[in-house]
Amino acid sequence: MDYKYYRDLKHNYLVFEKGPEDDEDNRYQYRMLEGGIKGLVPCSERNINGGKFLYYDIGSMQPVKDRFAVGGMNLEQLRRLLSDAAAVLEELSEYLLGEEGLVFNAEAVYTDLGTGEYRFLYCPFYDEPMDFKGFAAQILDLVDLGDERAAELAYLLCEKSASPGAFTLATIKELLSDRAEDAASGSGEPLEKRTTARAGFDDNPGEYIRDYDDPMDEDELYDEPSPGIMKGTGSGRLKRAGQKLGGRLQLLFSLLFAAVVAAMMYIRMNYILTKEENMLSILVMLVSVVTGAVSFVCGIRDFGGKRAIGKSKDDDKAKEAGYHEEVYDDFDDFDDRDTFGGTPVRITGPMSGTGYGMTPAGFEKEPAAYQETVVLDRKKESDDVTLYSRNLDRTMRIALDKLPLTIGKMEGCVDRVLGDPSVSRIHCRLLKEAGKLAIMDLGSTNGTFLNGIRLNPREMTFIGEGDEIRMGAVFFDCR
C-alpha cells in the first residue's frame, strides 16, 4: 500500500491515498474516524486535486520500532502497550467497528515520548500482510530480554497469539490478568521459556524450547550477548555495575585500615608500651598502611572504570551510552609512517644497537621527494566517514563505523545523545543501504538538512564525504 510522510509548519502526517472503491465501501468508518476515537491517531479526510486522502496527525510521536530500537521495552512499557491495545479494541466495539482495520505493525503503532501513551492507526482499506500474530513477533524483537519478566510476558504473547482461533482482545486480557502476572513473576506454576523464531514464528512452539534453568557460570551470565534489538543494556552494564560496587567496598576497606593506623598512633603517643606491644603495634601499622594503599588504588580503578588522566566524567557517561565523544585536536593526529628522526627511512638490515636516538644498522635514509607516491584507496576512504560538529563550544565527533546509529537528545532511546534544545528527542538515523551511507529524518520538529535542503520525514537520502548535515541548529561536516 502506498503511503507517505508529510510535514507542514507544526504537524507531521502519515498520508494514505484512497481509491474510488474504498470511498464507497467505508463511509461509516471514515465518519467515525473524523469524529475522533480514544486511543487512535487523529485522522482527517482531505480532497486534493481530485484525489481523496486520509491524513493521520502523528505529531511528535514515534513508532514503537524506533522508540525501542535502542533501549528495549521493559515490563511496565509492555503492559502499557497491551492495556492500551485492549482499550482501543473495546472502544472500537462501541462504535461498531471491527479490529480488521486496526493496523498491527511496529511501524504503525505510535508512542508519545512524554507520556508513554500508545496510539494506533485505523485504516479500513489497509492491505499489508500483518496480523496480531506477526505483531507479537515484532514486539518480541523490541523487548529488553535482560528484563526477565518482560521477556516471559513477550513469549506468552507469542505463544497465545499463535494458537488456532485466538481472539486478540481475549488474548490480551488473559495476559494482563493476575494469573498471567504471577506466572511472569515466577510465583505461579513454572513455565517453559520458549525462544520463538523472530520472523513468522512456527505454530509449534515446542520446537524452540530452551531451558533457562540450566546451571550457568558467572562468565557466561555476564558475557553472553543478549538476543533481539538491545543497545545500552545487558552484559556491559552488569559488568560496570559490578566494578563500581567492588570499587566502593575497596574504598571502604581503605578507610577502615586508615582508622586502624590512626588508632595505633594514638595508643603509641598516649600509653607506655612494652617491647612486645611496641613491635606488634608497628607490625599492625605496616600491614594496615600497605593493605589500605592497595585497597585505595584498586577501589579508585574499579569505581572510576580505569578512567584515564584527562578524561572527564561526561566522557565516561558517553562511553556507557554506547558512543564516543572526543575533542578534535590537530595534535591528536599522528603520522603512522615509519620514521626515524623525522625523516622517512627504509629498513634493509638488522638493528646494531638499542636505545632511543641510535641509528639502526642497515637503515638508509631516503628523502621524501624521491619516494614513490602511494595512491589512496578512495573506496576505503569513503567508508571511514566521520561527522564533526562545527558550531558547538566543544567539537563533537560521531564515528559512523557502527550502523545503524540513532541521534537525539533523549538518553536511553538513542545511540548518540546530542543535548541541544533544537534537537528532537529521537531526531534522525544514520544507516547503510546497498553499501552506501544514508541518513533518515525521524519526523524531527526542526528538521534534518543535507547541504541546506530539508529532508522529507522518514525518507532515506545518501550522504558522502564533503556533505554538510544540520540537525536542528547543530552543523556537522562529513570528513
Side-chain angles (χ1 to χ4, degrees):
M1 172 175 290
D2 293 333
Y3 62 90
K4 63 180 181 179
Y5 290 91
Y6 170 75
R7 178 174 179 83
D8 59 14
L9 292 178
K10 294 183 179 180
H11 299 275
N12 275 323
Y13 294 99
L14 179 62
V15 183
F16 287 93
E17 183 175 4
K18 298 193 301 182
E21 65 283 355
D22 299 323
D23 189 57
E24 295 176 0
D25 298 339
N26 303 293
R27 293 306 308 169
Y28 173 74
Q29 286 91 332
Y30 299 146
R31 295 303 179 192
M32 294 299 100
L33 287 176
E34 287 185 315
I37 298 178
K38 184 179 180 181
L40 295 182
V41 177
C43 177
S44 60
E45 187 179 6
R46 300 185 184 183
N47 298 323
I48 303 175
N49 296 330
K52 296 184 177 181
F53 302 86
L54 290 182
Y55 275 66
Y56 294 89
D57 188 0
I58 59 179
S60 60
M61 296 185 294
Q62 288 287 335
V64 295
K65 183 176 181 180
D66 293 331
R67 165 63 180 87
F68 298 107
V70 175
M73 186 184 300
N74 59 32
L75 177 65
E76 181 181 353
Q77 293 163 337
L78 178 56
R79 289 183 59 83
R80 176 70 181 270
L81 173 62
L82 295 177
S83 62
D84 286 354
V88 166
L89 290 169
E90 291 180 338
E91 192 78 10
L92 289 176
S93 64
E94 293 185 5
Y95 287 89
L96 302 179
L97 297 175
E99 66 176 65
E100 294 80 15
L102 203 62
V103 182
F104 284 114
N105 194 313
E107 297 181 358
V109 177
Y110 291 85
T111 177
D112 190 313
L113 298 178
T115 63
E117 180 184 6
Y118 296 92
R119 294 290 187 94
F120 296 80
L121 286 182
Y122 189 91
C123 183
F125 53 88
Y126 188 80
D127 57 1
E128 294 290 337
M130 177 65 70
D131 54 8
F132 188 71
K133 170 184 171 181
F135 180 62
Q138 291 182 327
I139 294 302
L140 181 60
D141 277 334
L142 297 176
V143 165
D144 179 6
L145 298 182
D147 187 336
E148 184 177 354
R149 296 175 64 191
E152 180 65 24
L153 185 58
Y155 289 132
L156 285 172
L157 176 66
C158 292
E159 179 181 343
K160 293 185 178 299
S161 62
S163 60
F167 181 60
T168 303
L169 181 58
T171 298
I172 294 176
K173 285 187 173 181
E174 183 180 357
L175 289 173
L176 293 176
S177 65
D178 294 337
R179 183 169 58 85
E181 174 66 16
D182 292 341
S185 62
S187 59
E189 295 181 0
L191 295 171
E192 293 174 322
K193 298 186 177 181
R194 294 172 172 86
T195 56
T196 311
R198 295 296 187 266
F201 49 85
D202 195 278
D203 288 339
N204 182 15
E207 296 181 3
Y208 305 102
I209 294 177
R210 175 185 173 185
D211 188 1
Y212 277 66
D213 296 328
D214 288 340
M216 183 182 298
D217 59 22
E218 185 176 357
D219 293 337
E220 184 180 358
L221 175 63
Y222 284 95
D223 294 336
E224 180 182 8
S226 300
I229 303 176
M230 298 174 58
K231 297 185 184 301
T233 61
S235 60
R237 186 168 295 177
L238 290 173
K239 284 184 176 181
R240 284 190 293 272
Q243 285 183 353
K244 289 189 175 182
L245 178 60
R248 292 190 182 98
L249 292 176
Q250 293 188 67
L251 290 175
L252 179 60
F253 284 140
S254 67
L255 292 177
L256 292 178
F257 285 121
V260 171
V261 172
M264 290 293 101
M265 293 181 63
Y266 176 82
I267 292 174
R268 290 174 59 84
M269 293 175 61
N270 292 276
Y271 296 93
I272 299 175
L273 304 178
T274 63
K275 183 178 180 181
E276 291 78 8
E277 291 174 341
N278 188 41
M279 294 297 296
L280 180 61
S281 64
I282 293 176
L283 180 61
V284 171
M285 290 176 61
L286 288 176
V287 173
S288 299
V289 168
V290 174
T291 309
V294 172
S295 299
F296 181 77
V297 172
C298 294
I300 290 295
R301 181 192 61 187
D302 292 343
F303 182 74
K306 299 181 181 180
R307 181 177 291 116
I309 298 177
K311 295 290 184 179
S312 66
K313 293 183 179 180
D314 292 335
D315 293 335
D316 288 343
K317 291 181 179 179
K319 288 183 179 179
E320 290 186 10
Y323 57 81
H324 310 281
E325 181 170 337
E326 300 176 4
V327 180
Y328 184 72
D329 193 340
D330 291 337
F331 291 102
D332 290 337
D333 296 332
F334 293 91
D335 190 354
D336 55 0
R337 295 176 301 174
D338 290 331
T339 60
F340 189 85
T343 305
V345 297
R346 182 173 60 194
I347 302 174
T348 59
M351 296 185 66
S352 60
T354 59
Y356 182 79
M358 297 181 63
T359 303
F363 271 54
E364 294 182 13
K365 294 188 177 181
E366 183 178 355
Y370 295 98
Q371 290 183 339
E372 183 179 354
T373 302
V374 178
V375 179
L376 295 177
D377 186 350
R378 289 293 178 182
K379 183 178 185 302
K380 181 179 179 181
E381 198 175 272
S382 62
D383 291 341
D384 297 335
V385 173
T386 303
L387 300 184
Y388 294 92
S389 66
R390 188 197 307 167
N391 59 333
L392 296 178
D393 294 337
R394 181 180 181 183
T395 303
M396 178 181 291
R397 172 183 175 272
I398 302 179
L400 304 182
D401 53 344
K402 296 181 180 179
L403 298 176
L405 180 75
T406 305
I407 299 176
K409 66 181 178 184
M410 189 173 184
E411 188 173 357
C413 296
V414 295
D415 298 301
R416 186 65 186 265
V417 176
L418 184 57
D420 189 90
S422 64
V423 176
S424 294
R425 284 169 285 196
I426 301 180
H427 195 98
C428 65
R429 176 173 294 133
L430 291 142
L431 63 157
K432 239 178 186 179
E433 182 70 20
K436 296 181 180 180
L437 188 63
I439 188 170
M440 178 189 297
D441 180 79
L442 298 179
S444 60
T445 301
N446 294 312
T448 305
F449 295 79
L450 176 61
N451 298 325
I453 300 176
R454 183 165 185 162
L455 304 180
N456 294 325
R458 303 187 185 279
E459 184 176 299
M460 189 171 56
T461 305
F462 292 108
I463 62 175
E465 187 175 1
D467 286 336
E468 176 194 82
I469 297 174
R470 176 159 70 91
M471 305 172 193
V474 183
F475 287 85
F476 288 91
D477 292 324
C478 297
R479 291 188 278 177

